[in-house]
Amino acid sequence: MGNSRESAKLTLAAVAKEAGVSTPTVSKVVNGREDVAEGTRARVLAALQRTGYKSPLQRRAVPERRAVEVVFDSLNSAYSVEVLNGIMEHAAASDMEVILSVTSREGSSPLGPEERAQRMIDEGRSGMIVVTSAYNSAQLEAFQRRQIPIAVVDPLNPPPADVCSVGASNWAGGKAATTHLLELGHRHIAFIGGPSEAECSQARLHGYMAALMAEGISVDHEYVSAGAFRPSNGVRAMKTLLALDNPPTAIFAGSDSIALGVLAEARRQHVRIPDDMSLVGFDGTHQAEQSVPPLTSVSQPLQEMGRSALRFILRQMHGEDIDSRRVELATHLVVRESTAPPRTSQVGSAVR
């Protein structure tokens, strides 16, 4: 017992020497005390990382309070609700508490990366799931220094290899959506994507382009646009497409939400879907089933994506070795009533 105590004292002393501070200061930091200047705390945390010392909180196999924080860029889409349902279902079965945070991409947190990560420790959070949001290396490093489990779902930027991530086969889904329209006979197909920097939207765009090129059809850049995964993006893009001299006969929308905006603008401009123009969405949410007409859509296993993200958190909490830190789940096309073969004078008479 005496040797164990002496080892702990020597470890704290070694950290203190490494950081150039006193041993009591190191003790305050590892125990989550707030009465330490931020600059000093940062030096101590860096020294803790270099020496490999773990605080009592970090040495616990499973925290006493099992709570995961789930961060969304917004919660006003069926996509977000479905992912959350999957997380909540698995959390209930795993006796986990779920805490929600919503952070707008346009805004910024008042807390810096170190403060944000330290608050997670102070509040006893077991880990964090980040859904369709951007993050930076400073944020990830702050979490990794404290050994806080993290998993990302459909991140806007590509995750580092050592960060657990969950997504779907977006490239294959984009290709399947476009191939379906090509097989119906469409040759003038537009793509309305999500944010241009979003990895999932880029993959859907590349799948769309691959399907066109496989048929020897060049990509018309007037037919390709990017924006938010929101109905307003579909409305804006639809107005632009219908104003072209040669409007498309079909549209592949990068999300069901975008497709709903396309449908709304089509009604306003008396364009009939699918009689005058075909439309395919992406996500396979309940909105696709309930829209008028029911929307052909590439279905993602959204609830399973949420469950997979929480499984990553639980495995990290228990110190398991994770061979593959990327889960990519299969998509499949669900054909409903918003797609049909093109007509000879399909859009010309309807739009003009």
Side-chain angles (χ1 to χ4, degrees):
M1 183 68 72
N3 288 340
S4 175
R5 288 196 185 114
E6 185 64 22
S7 175
K9 289 178 182 177
L10 286 173
T11 301
L12 286 175
V15 175
K17 183 177 180 181
E18 179 77 14
V21 299
S22 67
T23 301
T25 298
V26 176
S27 179
K28 288 181 181 180
V29 173
V30 298
N31 286 290
R33 294 270 296 275
E34 296 183 357
D35 54 337
V36 180
E38 283 306 313
T40 302
R41 184 188 301 278
R43 291 208 312 277
V44 172
L45 290 171
L48 288 168
Q49 177 70 12
R50 289 194 297 271
T51 59
Y53 179 86
K54 295 182 179 180
S55 72
L57 282 171
Q58 292 169 321
R59 287 197 295 267
R60 294 176 187 165
V62 179
E64 291 177 2
R65 181 186 180 192
R66 291 160 55 89
V68 61
E69 184 168 341
V70 185
V71 181
F72 289 88
D73 67 308
S74 73
L75 268 175
N76 61 355
S77 70
Y79 168 97
S80 299
V81 172
E82 287 297 301
V83 172
L84 178 58
N85 283 339
I87 294 171
M88 296 290 287
E89 177 190 285
H90 196 58
S94 306
D95 192 27
M96 288 283 290
E97 179 182 357
V98 175
I99 299 166
L100 294 182
S101 295
V102 177
T103 173
S104 169
R105 283 196 290 266
E106 287 75 21
S108 59
S109 171
L111 299 178
E114 297 292 340
E115 295 172 309
R116 183 80 172 86
Q118 188 59 43
R119 192 178 74 173
M120 290 282 293
I121 290 289
D122 295 342
E123 295 180 352
R125 308 285 166 83
S126 304
M128 176 180 282
I129 298 173
V130 182
V131 184
T132 63
S133 298
Y135 52 83
N136 57 48
S137 58
Q139 291 171 319
L140 293 178
E141 288 168 4
F143 274 67
Q144 289 171 333
R145 277 196 293 272
R146 293 163 176 81
Q147 298 187 9
I148 300 171
I150 186 168
V152 296
V153 179
D154 268 349
L156 292 187
N157 44 347
D162 59 347
V163 173
C164 295
S165 66
V166 179
S169 53
N170 291 294
W171 184 90
K175 189 172 186 292
T178 311
T179 298
H180 169 65
L181 294 170
L182 289 165
E183 289 175 345
L184 288 173
H186 294 278
R187 291 298 179 267
H188 303 285
I189 304 169
F191 173 75
I192 307 173
S196 57
E197 72 276 15
E199 186 179 30
C200 60
S201 189
Q202 291 175 12
R204 293 167 199 175
L205 170 61
H206 293 158
Y208 156 85
M209 295 171 68
L212 292 180
M213 289 187 288
E215 292 295 317
I217 300 172
S218 60
V219 177
D220 187 337
H221 294 290
E222 286 190 319
Y223 285 174
V224 177
S225 64
F229 287 121
R230 301 283 186 272
S232 57
N233 180 28
V235 170
R236 175 196 56 78
M238 183 62 162
K239 289 178 179 177
T240 301
L241 291 170
L242 292 178
L244 295 174
D245 291 336
N246 185 27
T249 64
I251 294 175
F252 167 33
S255 75
D256 289 347
S257 290
I258 294 172
L260 291 178
V262 171
L263 281 172
E265 185 60 24
R267 282 192 293 271
R268 278 191 287 269
Q269 300 210 31
H270 307 292
V271 175
R272 298 168 300 170
I273 305 290
D275 295 344
D276 301 322
M277 182 181 289
S278 286
L279 175 64
V280 179
F282 199 109
D283 286 335
T285 61
H286 67 272
Q287 291 177 320
E289 300 176 49
Q290 297 169 359
S291 67
V292 181
L295 183 66
T296 295
S297 181
V298 177
S299 179
Q300 297 191 82
L302 298 175
Q303 292 195 22
E304 182 57 28
M305 288 163 65
R307 288 190 287 267
S308 294
L310 185 54
R311 288 191 197 104
F312 269 139
I313 296 296
L314 291 169
R315 292 182 66 189
Q316 292 175 81
M317 284 169 54
H318 288 89
E320 294 182 25
D321 290 330
I322 302 176
D323 294 332
S324 176
R325 292 180 175 266
R326 169 68 179 176
V327 168
E328 186 167 287
L329 302 172
T331 56
H332 66 279
L333 182 71
V334 179
V335 178
R336 297 193 180 93
E337 298 172 27
S338 66
T339 51
R343 294 181 180 177
T344 305
S345 57
Q346 190 169 17
V347 177
S349 60
V351 177
R352 296 185 180 89

